[in-house]
Amino acid sequence: MAGVLSRFEQRLEGAVTGAFARAFRSAVQPVEIAAAIQREVDNSAHVLSRQRMLVPNDFTVELSPTDHGRLAPFGDTLTTELATLVQEHVTEQRYTLAGPLRIELVEAPDLGTGRFRVRSRTNAAVRPVEGARMTETAVRSSQVVLEVNGLKHPLTPPGVVVGRGSEADLRIDDPGISRRHADIKVHESGGNTTVTITDLQSTNGVVLNGHRVQTASVGNGSEIRLGNTVLTIRITTSEDR
């Protein structure tokens, strides 16, 4: 741990100006944020297999208005170095990241000067179906929408196969998801639209609204957990739009 933090401090010393250094005399020091993120990585790690431990890849650092005001002008440099620190720590500990690294500094009015919080989550990269129309108009006009990690994906019959491999229609780079994990089917009959999900013999299974299922109907607002990723299904009728 000490080695990674020491390299972090050395890189900052070489990268910043005198004004940057003066700003860092605020109550919250960059090395404190770095140490807190490193602890968050360690504390949030969980076992995928005997040789793989998954850690978060999306971090939000909440700062008091005073500290945020002092550090925000140099946020790009700081978040870049924090991301380098996380990557080094992940490599040294042989962790597995859930997806691309993201670190953001935000203002939290409820915090006093000198206090900060680090929040983390796993946020796997999502690759939509090739050729799919992902426009806002397409989303609004679709009766079935799949939401995953900020992506809204309109679904049309027959649906999509979700997985981590190249053979999946909707790819989610979550190490807890199998190459072909689940089949989400969209059925239209007599003006009615229904959705079902089927587990394609995945390693970690399909959890629908907290219950593991093999094949099940999916209702509006249902949450589907595949690996470490939660997908939400939105189903609307013509009367709703």
Side-chain angles (χ1 to χ4, degrees):
M1 178 181 290
V4 171
L5 290 176
S6 177
R7 290 196 295 272
F8 170 79
E9 289 187 289
Q10 290 171 4
R11 285 195 299 268
L12 277 185
E13 288 175 1
V16 303
T17 63
F20 191 46
R22 286 194 296 274
F24 278 166
R25 286 204 293 267
S26 62
V28 173
Q29 299 296 316
V31 70
E32 293 179 290
I33 298 174
I37 291 178
Q38 195 164 301
R39 286 194 301 273
E40 181 69 15
V41 169
D42 292 333
N43 293 338
S44 301
H46 66 274
V47 177
L48 288 177
S49 65
R50 289 182 59 187
Q51 297 181 332
R52 295 173 66 190
M53 295 187 70
L54 185 73
V55 295
N57 63 302
D58 193 321
F59 301 88
T60 300
V61 181
E62 298 180 352
L63 298 160
S64 70
T66 299
D67 287 313
H68 184 267
R70 290 171 175 171
L71 299 181
F74 314 102
D76 288 345
T77 299
L78 180 54
T79 54
T80 296
E81 293 303 334
L82 287 169
T84 300
L85 173 141
V86 172
Q87 189 62 65
E88 288 182 350
H89 185 57
V90 164
T91 300
E92 289 183 3
Q93 299 301 317
R94 299 184 179 180
Y95 290 145
T96 298
L97 285 168
L101 273 172
R102 175 183 172 275
I103 299 176
E104 182 181 17
L105 307 180
V106 301
E107 183 176 320
D110 64 311
L111 292 176
T113 301
R115 301 189 65 82
F116 67 96
R117 286 187 297 259
V118 175
R119 301 187 187 275
S120 68
R121 62 176 181 167
T122 57
N123 196 5
V126 181
R127 305 179 194 184
V129 174
E130 186 175 351
R133 294 170 59 242
M134 304 295 292
T135 64
E136 185 176 340
T137 299
V139 170
R140 285 201 309 267
S141 61
S142 179
Q143 284 189 283
V144 183
V145 175
L146 176 64
E147 298 180 6
V148 51
N149 291 350
L151 174 72
K152 293 183 177 181
H153 191 104
L155 297 185
T156 57
V160 293
V161 171
V162 181
R164 183 169 46 85
S166 58
E167 61 269 39
D169 300 315
L170 181 65
R171 296 178 60 185
I172 303 176
D173 293 332
D174 179 336
I177 291 179
S178 297
R179 297 184 65 82
R180 282 172 53 87
H181 198 111
D183 187 8
I184 300 177
K185 290 285 190 185
V186 177
H187 313 269
E188 291 185 350
S189 177
N192 295 320
T193 300
T194 58
V195 180
T196 59
I197 187 166
T198 300
D199 185 353
L200 299 177
Q201 298 182 329
S202 65
T203 300
N204 296 314
V206 171
V207 178
L208 174 63
N209 296 327
H211 301 283
R212 186 159 178 163
V213 299
Q214 177 57 44
T215 298
S217 297
V218 180
N220 180 40
S222 292
E223 291 190 345
I224 303 165
R225 178 174 290 277
L226 307 180
N228 305 282
T229 301
V230 175
L231 301 77
T232 304
I233 293 287
R234 305 293 182 191
I235 305 172
T236 59
T237 64
S238 57
E239 290 78 10
D240 295 327
R241 292 199 298 271

